[in-house]
């Protein structure tokens, strides 16, 4: 479908944090993971706009209302010896889907990756989310069947960090 002429995609600013956090909560609800949202708008603001930003975000607006977002950060490919962009989350409110807003967010991010001389743009998708998988494939993405996400969180992260290192990392 054609992009709504009223849709604007732009880099997020600090004033967008409440909207982005609300969209994160809506994404979690959609994925039936609301119980995993334990962060706060204050932490999000610090991580996006503080002294040491960890991530960036795009906001999609229709008639001045935030209806979608993409949150991303740089990673690095040793094989390509180039930076990349990792898309942590892309979400459009259900009532605004099918209007080209997700495509506009992904296209903006791809243009940003090209401008920044990134070798790739990558992300993960839940295996049950057939509509998202189909959308990403229509956009030209390969869904890699031979890669699995590894994650260490909570007590497992603390246990791993407690293993005596050869040297102590510095910040």
């Amino acid at each position: 479908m054609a992009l709504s002429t009223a849709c604007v995609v732009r880099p997020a600013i600090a004033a967008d944090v409440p909207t982005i956090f609300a969209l994160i909560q809506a994404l979690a609800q959609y994925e039936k993971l609301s119980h995993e949202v334990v962060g706060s708008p204050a932490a999000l603001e610090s991580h996006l706009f503080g002294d040491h930003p960890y991530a960036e975000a795009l906001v999609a607006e229709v008639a001045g209302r935030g209806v979608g977002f993409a949150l991303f950060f740089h990673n690095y490919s040793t094989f390509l010896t180039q930076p990349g962009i990792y898309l942590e989350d892309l979400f459009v409110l259900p009532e605004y889907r099918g209007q080209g807003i997700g495509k506009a967010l992904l296209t903006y991010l791809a243009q940003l990756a090209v401008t920044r001389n990134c070798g790739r743009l990558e992300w993960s998708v839940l295996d049950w989310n057939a509509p998202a998988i189909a959308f990403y494939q229509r956009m030209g993405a390969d869904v890699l069947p031979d890669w699995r996400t590894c994650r260490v969180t909570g007590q497992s992260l603390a246990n791993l960090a407690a293993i005596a290192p050869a040297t102590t990392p510095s910040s």
Side-chain angles (χ1 to χ4, degrees):
M1 295 196 127
L3 177 63
S4 168
T5 56
C7 179
V8 173
V9 174
R10 61 172 176 75
I13 59 173
D16 294 319
V17 168
T19 298
I20 295 168
F21 195 77
L23 289 165
I24 290 169
Q25 291 174 312
L27 167 62
Q29 182 178 3
Y30 173 76
E31 292 181 344
K32 298 174 180 44
L33 296 171
S34 293
H35 62 283
E36 292 194 22
V37 179
V38 296
S40 68
L44 181 63
E45 182 171 6
S46 174
H47 296 149
L48 291 176
F49 303 104
D51 292 338
H52 184 77
Y54 292 98
E56 298 175 65
L58 303 175
V59 174
E61 294 178 324
V62 172
R65 178 181 181 209
V67 300
F69 81 104
L71 192 136
F72 61 97
F73 51 88
H74 281 276
N75 58 12
Y76 192 81
S77 169
T78 55
F79 287 11
L80 297 176
T81 61
Q82 283 184 279
I85 290 180
Y86 186 83
L87 173 61
E88 178 66 23
D89 286 317
L90 184 143
F91 179 74
V92 175
L93 290 171
E95 61 269 28
Y96 288 91
R97 293 183 187 157
Q99 299 179 35
I101 296 168
K103 181 178 181 179
L105 283 162
L106 200 56
T107 300
Y108 190 109
L109 195 53
Q111 291 168 350
L112 191 61
V114 169
T115 300
R116 294 181 182 182
N117 196 32
C118 293
R120 62 185 174 204
L121 168 61
E122 58 190 350
W123 60 92
S124 299
V125 61
L126 292 167
D127 61 359
W128 61 260
N129 196 342
I133 291 169
F135 166 70
Y136 294 142
Q137 288 175 324
R138 283 193 309 273
M139 296 298 101
D142 294 320
V143 178
L144 305 176
D146 51 347
W147 288 86
R148 297 293 180 260
T149 302
C150 297
R151 180 175 294 157
V152 182
T153 62
Q155 189 58 50
S156 294
L157 179 59
N159 293 345
L160 181 57
I163 296 172
T167 60
T168 303
S170 60
S171 55

